[in-house]
Amino acid sequence: MDSSESPTETKKTKSKTPRKNKETVLKQKSPAEFFAENKNIAGFDNPGKSLYTTARELVENSLDSAESISELPVVEITIEEINKSKFNSMIGLIDCERVDAELYDDYETEKAREKRLAKEARAQEIQAKNAALGKKVKETPASKGIRGRGEASFYRVICKDNGKGMPHDDIPNMFGRVLSGTKYGLKQTRGKFGLGAKMALIWSKMSTGLPIEISSSMRNQSYMSFCRLDIDIHKNIPHVHVNEKRENKERWHGAEIQVVIEGNWTTYRSKILHYMRQMAVITPYAQFLFKFVSDAPEKNVTIRFSRRTDVMPPVPLETKHHPSSVDLLLIKRLIAETLKQNLLQFLQHEFVNISKSHAERLIGEMGPDFSPKMALKSLTPQQLVRIHQLFRQAKFDDPNGHVFEGHPFIVEAGVSIGGKNVKQGLNIFRFANRIPLLFEQGADVVTRTALKRINWSSYKINQLQDKIGIFVSIVSTKIPFKGTGKEYIGDDITEIASAVKYSIQQCCVQLKSKIVKKMQAREQQERKRNLNKYIPDATGAVYNVLKDMAETQLHASKKFRYGDDDGELLRKVSENLITKETLSEKLAKHVEQVDYEMALEYATQSGVSEEPRETIYIQPLETENKIIDLHSPFFVFRMFH
């Protein structure tokens, strides 16, 4: 060191070492960290919605698991309310008294408390007066005081099924690593994104800090796996507390999952129960048992949804990709994973609707650098782009059903009229890959189609006054949900919107024929009632006229007597062989015949194609009707035999 350099100068020189600006440091986020910060896109917007989504994801995983082994699903879902003291004991926290009451958000001054109590007293007084006057009185809920922002509610969600179960060593990664799962592939499944129970675990870690517990066993397995774990959100890896094998005496197979989360049962009770009811509708071969357990017995709920059929749909099979639905990255991945050696075999066996002759034509169109026997490993990046371009431009047969971006989809629909506890107007029930969709109904393609694109009046349906049920289920290898929350399908996809409209219209056409028959039956009853109403008066009037004519006939000279037929009729009247009751019976039969002929004519004009159930006897043309005319100074009464 130079003798002229002071220690102070040396320190200054060292302090001038450049430091990296914090804003320029490159940061990375794990998938778990991303979804923890953006939990709303997975359906975890708030505590109430998080409770609903947790129950929903566990139920759907259970159904997929049972269906994968063709087992009739039996799913038990329990939501247990945990009070504050119990939750604190679970996490090892000791309850303590408040020292500074004013520090808390729910603090209420004496003046504010007196004002609140006075307001409640006035409300009770008004209700008492209304009750004394006989007016309808709403039951006043018990006063709960002031609820603070930090007063959270906690619940243990337990879901047990009889499904496939999970391999012992795979359980940690299946629950503790986001975007890992068994449902990736091109087939119809309820789940797609590898989130499900993992998001429930992330929400549990954020709201309670408690781990998730999994019990699982596979068919013919002598042991049961038990695992308690949470997730390292920053690294997206499982943090295993316990992972052991236990004895499985009952040879049970399936999974039981327990997770403790913050939630809100009060605000989402109806949504959760509505979801369970609709799930029982769309999966009639499953049996559900739902329980809500609380320390307050009056809040407990137990609902069993029994199985209504033992017939299960076949297990969805993984299908191959349609050429028009693949992108460049997918083509590269398929080439890397295929066992085929040359280009011809790859095109023919890795895609649907490409036959050998079609594949040869495609290769010929790609250019002189391509040949059927060309090795896949020799394809250059430019040649892969050429294949992708041709897939987008060439014409391919559509897969079965309707098609959107190369993915097949099927729309199932049903329309109903009437029913108990059904409100007037349109009652829309939406399903996608056998999942009930309860949120964002106004933006969904089914709702918009039913409201704006169906002319209900043309099907004899009153959109505002009738009780209309609309059930639409869309199944596909790729449901174009808006967001990962799987809450609705957008109205911007023309192919799906057109298919939904056509399906509903076909249901309405069938329903219209039933409605027309009911209208016809109602009008027939009304006509019959109106005609029968006049039978006694008409019978009495006719009989009195005949009686008078019969008496006149007895005292009339031969010149003014009636002919043989008329005279015979009047003789029977005078001898009481024809009575008022006889005429009434004949007239009632005539009304029945006229009413039937009018109904038949109405059905013909309305275009009802179904044949009448009654037997029709057509009289021969040569038969002549026998008639009797009874003449009077005022009218002529004609009777047909």
Side-chain angles (χ1 to χ4, degrees):
M1 181 187 289
D2 190 354
S3 59
S4 62
E5 187 177 346
S6 64
T8 308
E9 290 175 343
T10 304
K11 286 182 181 179
K12 285 182 179 180
T13 304
K14 287 182 181 179
S15 65
K16 288 181 180 178
T17 303
R19 287 193 301 177
K20 219 169 188 180
N21 191 343
K22 225 175 185 182
E23 295 180 356
T24 63
V25 176
L26 182 64
K27 296 181 180 179
Q28 289 184 337
K29 288 184 179 179
S30 71
E33 195 174 8
F34 171 80
F35 283 106
E37 294 177 0
N38 302 276
K39 58 185 182 297
N40 59 299
I41 65 176
F44 288 75
D45 306 57
N46 53 62
K49 183 76 176 295
S50 299
L51 179 63
Y52 163 83
T53 305
T54 298
R56 167 185 167 173
E57 292 288 355
L58 296 181
V59 167
E60 291 167 9
N61 286 347
S62 294
L63 290 171
D64 281 338
S65 177
E67 290 170 2
S68 67
I69 57 173
S70 299
E71 185 85 18
L72 289 169
V74 178
V75 182
E76 299 177 8
I77 182 81
T78 303
I79 300 177
E80 178 188 350
E81 189 176 36
I82 301 174
N83 59 40
K84 183 180 177 182
S85 299
K86 186 175 181 180
F87 175 75
N88 287 345
S89 66
M90 290 171 63
I91 62 175
L93 182 65
I94 300 174
D95 289 337
C96 58
E97 296 288 334
R98 292 185 178 184
V99 179
D100 187 355
E102 295 184 12
L103 184 65
Y104 293 88
D105 180 60
D106 60 355
Y107 172 72
E108 189 177 26
T109 64
E110 188 65 29
K111 186 176 180 181
R113 182 173 178 275
E114 290 177 359
K115 186 176 180 180
R116 176 173 58 82
L117 293 176
K119 184 178 179 181
E120 291 175 0
R122 285 196 300 271
Q124 291 176 359
E125 185 179 349
I126 292 171
Q127 286 210 333
K129 288 181 179 178
N130 290 338
L133 295 172
K135 296 181 179 179
K136 190 176 180 180
V137 179
K138 290 184 180 179
E139 186 178 349
T140 307
S143 175
K144 297 182 180 178
I146 304 299
R147 184 181 175 91
R149 291 193 304 268
E151 195 173 343
S153 300
F154 301 98
Y155 302 86
R156 177 186 283 112
V157 182
I158 307 170
C159 187
K160 184 178 181 180
D161 62 61
N162 62 336
K164 181 180 180 180
M166 293 165 278
H168 178 79
D169 296 332
D170 292 347
I171 292 176
N173 281 330
M174 292 180 76
F175 285 87
R177 193 184 297 273
V178 174
L179 299 183
S180 64
T182 60
K183 296 182 182 179
Y184 295 114
L186 198 65
K187 63 179 179 179
Q188 177 198 334
T189 58
R190 292 183 177 88
K192 277 291 184 186
F193 303 106
L195 290 173
K198 305 177 186 65
M199 274 304 304
L201 176 56
I202 290 174
W203 174 243
S204 173
K205 188 173 181 66
M206 295 174 67
S207 59
T208 69
L210 292 172
I212 192 172
E213 293 185 356
I214 305 105
S215 300
S216 175
S217 181
M218 304 183 75
R219 271 181 174 173
N220 303 319
Q221 197 167 269
S222 60
Y223 65 88
M224 179 177 66
S225 303
F226 176 79
C227 186
R228 183 185 296 118
L229 60 88
D230 62 21
I231 185 172
D232 186 328
I233 291 180
H234 300 292
K235 296 181 180 179
N236 191 32
I237 58 174
H239 177 212
V240 180
H241 299 244
V242 178
N243 190 17
E244 61 187 18
K245 296 179 180 179
R246 298 178 176 178
E247 190 176 2
N248 184 16
K249 293 182 180 179
E250 299 178 355
R251 292 300 175 111
W252 163 75
H253 64 84
E256 182 179 40
I257 301 168
Q258 297 189 30
V259 61
V260 179
I261 59 172
E262 181 185 352
N264 191 329
W265 168 255
T266 304
T267 56
Y268 274 78
R269 177 183 185 275
S270 61
K271 285 288 187 186
I272 293 173
L273 296 180
H274 197 40
Y275 168 81
M276 293 303 301
R277 291 191 191 98
Q278 291 200 26
M279 184 58 84
V281 170
I282 199 65
T283 51
Y285 50 87
Q287 177 179 306
F288 298 97
L289 177 62
F290 176 83
K291 293 182 181 179
F292 177 79
V293 182
S294 172
D295 291 336
E298 66 274 6
K299 294 174 65 177
N300 291 348
V301 176
T302 300
I303 304 177
R304 182 183 298 275
F305 300 94
S306 300
R307 182 180 293 117
R308 301 188 303 283
T309 178
D310 291 334
V311 180
M312 284 182 62
V315 179
L317 301 176
E318 188 167 349
T319 185
K320 299 174 184 177
H321 291 272
H322 193 271
S324 63
S325 69
V326 299
D327 55 34
L328 190 57
L329 286 176
L330 182 56
I331 293 175
K332 291 179 180 179
R333 181 169 68 81
L334 292 175
I335 289 176
E337 295 175 354
T338 187
L339 298 177
K340 305 303 176 183
Q341 299 298 320
N342 59 53
L343 183 56
L344 178 64
Q345 294 175 342
F346 172 71
L347 296 178
Q348 185 179 350
H349 296 285
E350 295 295 334
F351 300 94
V352 295
N353 295 354
I354 297 184
S355 62
K356 183 178 180 181
S357 59
H358 195 184
E360 291 172 344
R361 291 177 61 193
L362 290 171
I363 294 171
E365 188 66 24
M366 290 176 187
D369 296 335
F370 294 85
S371 67
K373 300 295 183 181
M374 185 178 189
L376 291 176
K377 293 182 179 179
S378 67
L379 290 171
T380 65
Q382 292 79 10
Q383 289 174 323
L384 293 177
V385 172
R386 174 58 185 151
I387 294 173
H388 180 233
Q389 289 177 344
L390 186 59
F391 277 177
R392 293 174 64 92
Q393 297 169 359
K395 181 180 179 181
F396 299 94
D397 292 336
D398 291 332
N400 294 332
H402 305 280
V403 182
F404 164 65
E405 292 185 350
H407 292 277
F409 69 92
I410 296 175
V411 178
E412 303 165 311
V415 179
S416 65
I417 294 288
K420 294 182 179 179
N421 303 321
V422 181
K423 66 180 182 180
Q424 289 182 324
L426 301 181
N427 298 271
I428 300 172
F429 301 88
R430 304 168 292 136
F431 304 91
N433 276 359
R434 292 176 288 172
I435 297 174
L437 306 180
L438 302 186
F439 294 90
E440 303 291 344
Q441 178 165 304
D444 191 89
V445 61
V446 177
T447 305
R448 295 202 171 190
T449 299
L451 289 174
K452 298 180 179 179
R453 304 187 184 110
I454 304 296
N455 184 9
W456 295 99
S457 60
S458 64
Y459 303 104
K460 309 293 184 183
I461 299 174
N462 190 315
Q463 183 177 346
L464 301 177
Q465 296 181 1
D466 289 335
K467 299 176 179 179
I468 310 167
I470 302 167
F471 303 81
V472 176
S473 172
I474 301 174
V475 293
S476 176
T477 55
K478 181 183 178 182
I479 297 289
F481 290 113
K482 295 295 183 181
T484 57
K486 298 181 291 185
E487 292 175 349
Y488 76 102
I489 301 171
D491 190 38
D492 54 347
I493 302 171
T494 305
E495 295 89 341
I496 294 181
S498 299
V500 169
K501 179 182 177 182
Y502 178 77
S503 300
I504 295 177
Q505 285 177 329
Q506 291 304 303
C507 292
C508 290
V509 168
Q510 298 176 42
L511 189 58
K512 180 183 178 181
S513 65
K514 304 292 184 184
I515 294 173
V516 167
K517 288 181 184 178
K518 279 195 171 185
M519 291 172 61
Q520 174 188 340
R522 270 200 309 268
E523 292 176 3
Q524 183 177 356
Q525 292 294 329
E526 185 67 23
R527 286 194 304 271
K528 191 181 295 184
R529 188 164 50 248
N530 291 335
L531 290 171
N532 287 333
K533 183 169 64 174
Y534 297 106
I535 286 178
D537 294 338
T539 302
V542 171
Y543 186 74
N544 291 335
V545 170
L546 292 175
K547 199 76 172 173
D548 293 342
M549 294 173 67
E551 291 178 0
T552 306
Q553 172 82 352
L554 294 174
H555 303 92
S557 61
K558 291 184 178 181
K559 183 178 179 181
F560 295 101
R561 287 186 180 182
Y562 293 97
D564 294 339
D565 291 340
D566 295 348
E568 181 65 17
L569 176 63
L570 295 176
R571 183 186 64 78
K572 290 181 179 180
V573 170
S574 63
E575 295 176 0
N576 289 329
L577 297 176
I578 295 179
T579 62
K580 187 185 296 186
E581 289 72 21
T582 307
L583 289 176
S584 179
E585 183 182 346
K586 293 286 185 182
L587 195 53
K589 288 183 179 179
H590 184 67
V591 166
E592 193 75 31
Q593 180 64 25
V594 170
D595 179 68
Y596 174 75
E597 292 173 355
M598 291 177 66
L600 185 62
E601 183 181 0
Y602 177 80
T604 305
Q605 292 175 353
S606 302
V608 179
S609 58
E610 186 175 335
E611 295 180 358
R613 296 182 184 276
E614 294 83 2
T615 305
I616 299 176
Y617 297 98
I618 302 177
Q619 295 181 350
L621 294 176
E622 62 271 11
T623 301
E624 296 181 359
N625 290 325
K626 295 182 179 180
I627 60 174
I628 298 176
D629 288 341
L630 301 177
H631 297 270
S632 165
F634 306 102
F635 67 90
V636 176
F637 182 71
R638 173 169 290 179
M639 297 188 68
F640 293 85
H641 287 289

